[in-house]
Every structure is written in structure tokens, then in C-alpha cells.
């Protein structure tokens, strides 16, 4: 993409309409939320009526609404999905986030399409393919480095979307069959069983346990708030927060934190970047990313191709901040060391003797004495963590943000029987209201400018706030009721003008001769072809052989099945990389075992990748 001033987008998740509105109020330029069906979070669907409500609210600030239709679609579902997409287009949805290429072959309106993370876009070849197929925005794999992002930026001319915060899949997104093969629940159908969050035993070839009961595939959460400028320099334009199942408080806090940092960078480089929506968010709190659910943080390979310390072996839960160590236990009273800053109702936790994180609720606190509802046998010296703040939850349950659009007004007297009010947003969108008077204006006995400004500034429930008033009405006396009517007419005119001029995106035209990104022209089950339309699409792009997705064929359990491919390497995380002297810390052949599930780990040192294989049954 050629260097030019870029519109920058903060993209927030929303499980429902209320959360979507809060995300926008707290500074999001766009929100993504689940469709009535076929979204990759089956527990986060939304009705058409709720989505329409969010669209109307978002567009007041020129913010966008993207709807996820990013699961695989079966042949029997195509007609229903087509109708759903038509309905989404009619209510004004800005774009769909999709992974199934069959959607490009459906009979649907020209709604803009964005590629989902399930499209597994790791390099420039795949990104160009998606761009040429007609995608208007491409989300990149979470695992990419800054240099890899930049190479894709230089090879494409559509906005690039990158994840900056939230939970991480250990496998490349869209390339994980662990849940489906182990439980029958497909991640690519929105029903991930989160196999990566389970405890596993690390075993050798003979079944000897080397590490017992640790969450060896569970990663920390992504946090790239300190790398916004570097990501912009690399070519990213859309910054995506993960979390369509997260709480409203989580979304409020995280959006507000990233809004502040993105605004800081844009303000430092106004010649290069501009915000993609309008409005100023005023907060009643100071955002802090440590105050909401997290498993600890990682940049996740952004600056280090061989980053370590990215897993959370002890627990897949939010552990929180340490608050002190147990000094004494008497019944339901625990005395801890250190300066205690806790409140009644806080959520606390500790690691028990089996290294399992156990949570409990603080009933009452007096100094450094903690009173529980029931006794707990916690050994002296155990570290206590706080993973939920009652004070924070209570504060975030209130109204915590107001978003408004600054406007400039010019009041004019055209003649004694005709007055006008011009109202402008960013000195660009200008609306004018003219009011005919029943009788000529009289001359005032005193200066009226302050009184007129008070009336015109009463913008009520609108999204506008008066920034500057140019009062050209001189010494005329204009009744407050007349100014109120003029102001309302001007605001209505401005709203109509902005609705009429809202820049709707449409589906990008694809190239005439689409060329498959794969040199061998073969698609395997990991390419997730689940219907005849997707098959037709890929055949027209030059595919020779197409193996259907696992979800639509019976997996052959008599052969090895790759269930994950990941840039995360367990050996490297354990300090036993095969390319180092410490490789001998563990044997060459390693296995993971959880319940009846056993997986072989394969280490591709040339590509610095790990593959998780389910052995033949």
C-alpha cells in the first residue's frame, strides 16, 4: 500500500447491543458483534433488531458496525445465510467478517467483506489472494512480527487489521481441529471446547510423566498497548481487541485505555494518521488494563520471533495481583502481611498444595485481617492474589463515559424578519437552518451574546456539544423560544445531512483472474472447504484437488491427524530448544496427555514451529 494519510480504527468486541454502545461511548471507532447465527462465538449471537439499534447509535459518531458471519457454512444452510446477509445489509451493517469463501459466491447484496482471523493470513501471498478475491479489510494472524506485517503492507492496498489485546489461541486461528476431534465441537463452527486451556501431563515415549498436570498449551493474554506506534509504522490501520464473550466492564476499560494511546500517537503524527470516527469521550475513571480479567500479558512474537515466557502453566484463570502472604489462619479469619488495599466483596485466590488456583470471596476486611464466609485451610506463607475488585466493579457498573461531537455555530440575522443558524462538524459538514419571524426583531437594551450562547448550547440529548459560537446578531433581541426553535431545526438539518452523506462501504471488486496463493494448487482439510459454493470458488481460482473440511467428512482415525500448528514451542518455553545446548533437558520425543487424549509433539526447527499430532487410533 502506498504511503498516504491513513484512517486509523480502534475495533472493539461486543457480546450484545448494550456492550456495543458502551464500546462506542468509550472511544471505539468500530465494533464487531455476532450475527443471529454463524458467528464464531455461538454464545454471542444478536437479533436483527438489536443490531439495527447498534447501527443507528454507531452511525451518529460515524462509527462502524461489523457483523461476524465467520463460521463454516454447510450446503443445507446456504439459503438461510443468504437471507440473513440480505437482512443485515438492509439495516445498514457496514461489513461482514467472514472465513467461508462460499459467501463470495452467494446471492447477496454488495456488502463489504472483511476476512476473519479464521482465514489464517500469515503472509503476503495469502493477503493478496484475499484482497484480489474482494475483501476490503484483512485481519492478520496474531503470531506475525512487525517485519512480517510490514511485508504484507507493502504487498497490498487494503487496510490491515491486527489484534492488540485479549485471549490467545495457541494454534494459528482457523487451523485447529483439536476441539472437533476430541469432543465433536468445532472451533470453526463457533463451539470451541478450549482444549488449549486444559491441564496436561508431559510424557516421554514410554509414558513416563515428566511434568504433571500443568496447562502447557495455555497462553497469557496479548497486550500491545506499548506498541501502537510501531504497529502503525509497520502498516496496521485497524487495532482489534479480542473478547466477544467479555463483560461490559472489560470492554469499557480496555477500549478506553487503547483510545488514549492511539489518540496520543495520532496527535503526534497528524500528517500521517487520522481517526476513522468522530467524537470525544469523557471518562469518569482512569483505565488500567490490570484491573480486568487477564492471564498475565505477552506481546506474542511481535518484536521477538523466538519469544519465551508467553505461557501460563499454572492456571488458565485470571490470577490477579498479589496482595500479601498468609501469616496466620484462625477459623474463617486470615491474617496477611503487607499493606492491604482490599474491600469487602473482593475476589481473592491462592495456589493450593496441588498448584491448583482456588478462588474465594472476601466477606469483610479489618486492617490486614481477612474474614471469609467459611474457613479455608491455607498454609502459612501462601501468596494471596486479588483477581476481582468490588470497588472497580461497582464503579464500572455506573455511567462511565459520555461521547460527544464538538460543533461550531454561526448565528446570523439576514433581515429583521429572518434569522439563520449555521452548524458545522469539523468545519466540513455544515447545515443551515433559517427561521421566518412573525414580527421584526427589536433592539436589545443590553448585550445579548452570553444569553444567546446559553440557549444555543442546550443541545439536550443530541450527540453534539457547542465548541465555538460566532454571534453576528448584533444588538438584536431574539427571544429564547425563537432561538430554541432555530437550534432544534439546525440540529435536525445537520442530522439529516450527516445521515445522507454517511460514507457506506460496498464490496470490493475482485480481479478477473484470481490466482490461488498455493503453488501446489491443492487444498487439504485445513483449508476448511465445507460447501459446494466454496469448492466452486476455489476451483475457479485454480485449485486442482480439494479435500473437504473435517466437519463435513468423517476423519480417518487410522492415520495421524494434525490438530494444531503453532508458533509457540513448548520446548523453547521450557528452556529446552533443540537448537541449544539445553536440548537434552527433555527427550526428543514428547507427548501431551489429558484424560483419554494423547498427542505427539513435532518440532519443525527450520520454521521454528510446533505441531500437535493426534496419533492413529
Amino acid at each position: 500500500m502506498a504511503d498516504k494519510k491513513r484512517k486509523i480504527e480502534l475495533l472493539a468486541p461486543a457480546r450484545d447491543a448494550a456492550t456495543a454502545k458502551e464500546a462506542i461511548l468509550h472511544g471505539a471507532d468500530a465494533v464487531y458483534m455476532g450475527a443471529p447465527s454463524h458467528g464464531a462465538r455461538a454464545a454471542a449471537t444478536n437479533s436483527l433488531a438489536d443490531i439495527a439499534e447498534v447501527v443507528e447509535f454507531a452511525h451518529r459518531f460515524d462509527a462502524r458496525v461489523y457483523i461476524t458471519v465467520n463460521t463454516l457454512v454447510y450446503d443445507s444452510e446456504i439459503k438461510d445465510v443468504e437471507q440473513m446477509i440480505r437482512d443485515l445489509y438492509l439495516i445498514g451493517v457496514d461489513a461482514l467478517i467472514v472465513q467461508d469463501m462460499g459467501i463470495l459466491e452467494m446471492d447477496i447484496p454488495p456488502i463489504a467483506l472483511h476476512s476473519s482471523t479464521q482465514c489464517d493470513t500469515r503472509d503476503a501471498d495469502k493477503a493478496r489472494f484475499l484482497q484480489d478475491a474482494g475483501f476490503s479489510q484483512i485481519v492478520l494472524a496474531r503470531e506475525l512480527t512487525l517485519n512480517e506485517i510490514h511485508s504484507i503492507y507493502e504487498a497490498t492496498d487494503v487496510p490491515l487489521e491486527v489484534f492488540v489485546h485479549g485471549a490467545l489461541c495457541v494454534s494459528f486461528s482457523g487451523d485447529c481441529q483439536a476441539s472437533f476431534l476430541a469432543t465433536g465441537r468445532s472451533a470453526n463452527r463457533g463451539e470451541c471446547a478450549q482444549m488449549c486451556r486444559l491441564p496436561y501431563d508431559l510424557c516421554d515415549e514410554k509414558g513416563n510423566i515428566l511434568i504433571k498436570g500443568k496447562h502447557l498449551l495455555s497462553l497469557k493474554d496479548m497486550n500491545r498497548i506499548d506498541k501502537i506506534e510501531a504497529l502503525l509504522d509497520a502498516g496496521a490501520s485497524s487495532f482489534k481487541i479480542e473478547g466477544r464473550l467479555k463483560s461490559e466492564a472489560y470492554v469499557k476499560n480496555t477500549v478506553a485505555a487503547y483510545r488514549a494511546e492511539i489518540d496520543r500517537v495520532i496527535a503526534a503524527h497528524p500528517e500521517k494518521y487520522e481517526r476513522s470516527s468522530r467524537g470525544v469521550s469523557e471518562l469518569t475513571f482512569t483505565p488500567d488494563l490490570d484491573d480486568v480479567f487477564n492471564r498475565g500479558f505477552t506481546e506474542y512474537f511481535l518484536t521477538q520471533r523466538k519469544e519465551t515466557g508467553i505461557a501460563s502453566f499454572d492456571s488458565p484463570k485470571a490470577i490477579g495481583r498479589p496482595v500479601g502472604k498468609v501469616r496466620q489462619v484462625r477459623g474463617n479469619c486470615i491474617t496477611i502481611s503487607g499493606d492491604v488495599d482490599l474491600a469487602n466483596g473482593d475476589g481473592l485466590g491462592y495456589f493450593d498444595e496441588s498448584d491448583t488456583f482456588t478462588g474465594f470471596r472476601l466477606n469483610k476486611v479489618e486492617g490486614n485481617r481477612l474474614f471469609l464466609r467459611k474457613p479455608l485451610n491455607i498454609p502459612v506463607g501462601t501468596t494471596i492474589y486479588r483477581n476481582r475488585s468490588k470497588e472497580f466493579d461497582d464503579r464500572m457498573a455506573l455511567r462511565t463515559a459520555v461521547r460527544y461531537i464538538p460543533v461550531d455555530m454561526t448565528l446570523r440575522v439576514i433581515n429583521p424578519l429572518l434569522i439563520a443558524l449555521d452548524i458545522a462538524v469539523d468545519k466540513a459538514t455544515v447545515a443551515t437552518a433559517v427561521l421566518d419571524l412573525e414580527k421584526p426583531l427589536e433592539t436589545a437594551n443590553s448585550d445579548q451574546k452570553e444569553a444567546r450562547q446559553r440557549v444555543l448550547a442546550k443541545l439536550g440529548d443530541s450527540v453534539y456539544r457547542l465548541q465555538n459560537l460566532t454571534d453576528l446578531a448584533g444588538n438584536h433581541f431574539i427571544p429564547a423560544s425563537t432561538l430554541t426553535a432555530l437550534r432544534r431545526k439546525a440540529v435536525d438539518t445537520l442530522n439529516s445531512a450527516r445521515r445522507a452523506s454517511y460514507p457506506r462501504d460496498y464490496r470490493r471488486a475482485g480481479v478477473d483472474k484470481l490466482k490461488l496463493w498455493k503453488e501446489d494448487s491443492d487444498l487439504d482439510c485445513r483449508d476448511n472447504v465445507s460447501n459446494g459454493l466454496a469448492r466452486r470458488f476455489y476451483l475457479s481460482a485454480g485449485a486442482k484437488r480439494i479435500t473437504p473440511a473435517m466437519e463435513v467428512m468423517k476423519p480417518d482415525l487410522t492415520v495421524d491427524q494434525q490438530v494444531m500448528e503453532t508458533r509457540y514451542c513448548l520446548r523453547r518455553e521450557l528452556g529446552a530448544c533443540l537448537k541449544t545446548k539445553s536440548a537434552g533437558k527433555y527427550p526428543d520425543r514428547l507427548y501431551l496427555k489429558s484424560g483419554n487424549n494423547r498427542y505427539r509433539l513435532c518440532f519443525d526447527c527450520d520454521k521454528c514451529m510446533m505441531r500437535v499430532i493426534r496419533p492413529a487410533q
Side-chain angles (χ1 to χ4, degrees), residues 171-190:
S171 183
F172 281 94
S173 299
D175 189 8
C176 181
Q177 286 76 39
S179 176
F180 179 69
L181 286 174
T183 70
R185 294 167 53 186
S186 168
N188 286 310
R189 290 280 291 177

Side-chain angles (χ1 to χ4, degrees), residues 195 198-202 212-214 216-217 592-594 599:
M195 302 298 291
L198 297 177
Y200 289 91
D201 294 337
L202 181 67
K212 184 174 179 59
K214 290 292 185 178
L216 300 173
L217 296 178
L592 294 178
K593 189 174 186 302
S594 178
Y599 305 99

Side-chain angles (χ1 to χ4, degrees), residues 57-119:
F57 184 83
H59 287 184
R60 297 178 195 176
F61 301 98
D62 290 343
R64 306 275 168 163
V65 178
Y66 306 145
I67 299 300
T68 59
V69 188
N70 57 341
T71 66
L72 299 181
V73 180
Y74 297 155
D75 282 311
S76 61
E77 300 169 335
I78 288 173
K79 292 300 180 183
D80 288 341
V81 172
E82 285 179 337
Q83 184 58 55
M84 181 179 70
I85 292 174
R86 294 187 197 110
D87 293 338
L88 291 168
Y89 178 79
L90 289 175
I91 62 177
V93 165
D94 294 286
L96 304 180
I97 301 174
V98 306
Q99 77 151 310
D100 194 318
M101 296 299 128
I103 290 177
L104 282 79
E105 298 287 312
M106 289 183 182
D107 180 17
I108 57 174
I111 191 168
L113 301 178
H114 294 184
S115 73
S116 169
T117 186
Q118 278 77 22
C119 288

Side-chain angles (χ1 to χ4, degrees), residues 69-365:
V69 188
N70 57 341
T71 66
L72 299 181
V73 180
Y74 297 155
D75 282 311
S76 61
E77 300 169 335
I78 288 173
K79 292 300 180 183
D80 288 341
V81 172
E82 285 179 337
Q83 184 58 55
M84 181 179 70
I85 292 174
R86 294 187 197 110
D87 293 338
L88 291 168
Y89 178 79
L90 289 175
I91 62 177
V93 165
D94 294 286
L96 304 180
I97 301 174
V98 306
Q99 77 151 310
D100 194 318
M101 296 299 128
I103 290 177
L104 282 79
E105 298 287 312
M106 289 183 182
D107 180 17
I108 57 174
I111 191 168
L113 301 178
H114 294 184
S115 73
S116 169
T117 186
Q118 278 77 22
C119 288
D120 189 17
T121 305
R122 310 183 196 182
D123 55 38
D125 289 340
K126 183 66 173 291
R128 278 196 303 270
F129 173 80
L130 293 170
Q131 169 187 290
D132 292 346
F135 285 90
S136 303
Q137 186 158 299
I138 298 171
V139 65
L140 304 183
R142 294 170 171 93
E143 293 82 354
L144 301 188
T145 64
L146 287 169
N147 288 337
E148 289 168 330
I149 293 170
H150 188 66
S151 68
I152 295 174
Y153 171 73
E154 297 214 311
T156 55
D157 60 8
V158 294
L160 300 181
E161 180 182 313
V162 296
F163 279 92
V164 290
H165 201 89
L168 287 165
C169 299
V170 69
S171 183
F172 281 94
S173 299
D175 189 8
C176 181
Q177 286 76 39
S179 176
F180 179 69
L181 286 174
T183 70
R185 294 167 53 186
S186 168
N188 286 310
R189 290 280 291 177
E191 299 174 333
C192 180
Q194 295 191 313
M195 302 298 291
C196 54
R197 301 299 182 191
L198 297 177
Y200 289 91
D201 294 337
L202 181 67
C203 304
D204 63 15
E205 193 170 13
K206 296 180 179 178
N208 297 312
I209 296 176
L210 308 174
I211 297 176
K212 184 174 179 59
K214 290 292 185 178
H215 301 270
L216 300 173
L217 296 178
S218 182
L219 303 186
K220 296 177 181 176
D221 289 356
M222 179 187 285
N223 181 343
R224 293 174 170 175
I225 198 166
D226 294 330
K227 294 294 183 287
I228 295 300
E229 188 163 1
L231 283 163
L232 284 168
D233 289 342
S237 293
S238 177
F239 298 109
K240 188 172 194 173
I241 298 168
E242 182 278 337
R244 279 197 294 126
L245 297 179
K246 291 294 198 301
S247 69
E248 192 174 289
Y250 178 97
V251 173
K252 287 181 176 183
N253 184 68
T254 309
V255 167
Y258 276 88
R259 176 78 272 151
E261 178 59 16
I262 292 170
D263 283 349
R264 184 193 68 78
V265 177
I266 291 176
H269 303 282
E271 76 288 353
K272 295 167 66 175
Y273 313 120
E274 62 181 336
R275 188 175 173 184
S276 65
S277 71
R278 287 191 169 102
V280 177
S281 295
E282 289 185 348
L283 308 177
T284 64
F285 69 102
T286 301
D288 186 339
L289 295 174
D290 286 322
D291 280 340
V292 291
F293 183 99
N294 69 82
R295 301 175 177 91
F297 292 125
T298 172
E299 291 180 2
Y300 203 49
F301 303 118
L302 191 65
T303 58
Q304 300 179 55
R305 181 63 178 80
K306 297 183 178 181
E307 185 181 355
T308 57
I310 64 178
S312 180
F313 288 165
D314 292 329
S315 176
K317 301 176 183 178
I319 296 170
R321 300 174 176 177
V323 295
K325 292 190 175 183
V326 175
R327 290 171 53 188
Q328 186 181 69
V329 178
R330 287 188 176 179
N332 67 337
C333 178
I334 299 172
T335 303
I336 64 174
S337 61
D339 296 327
V340 180
D341 182 19
L342 298 174
N344 300 347
D346 281 352
L348 305 179
Y350 66 99
F351 286 99
D352 63 21
E353 294 176 347
S354 64
D355 281 338
T356 299
F357 188 75
T358 301
F360 60 93
R361 185 182 179 88
L362 178 58
N363 198 40
K364 185 175 69 172
V365 57

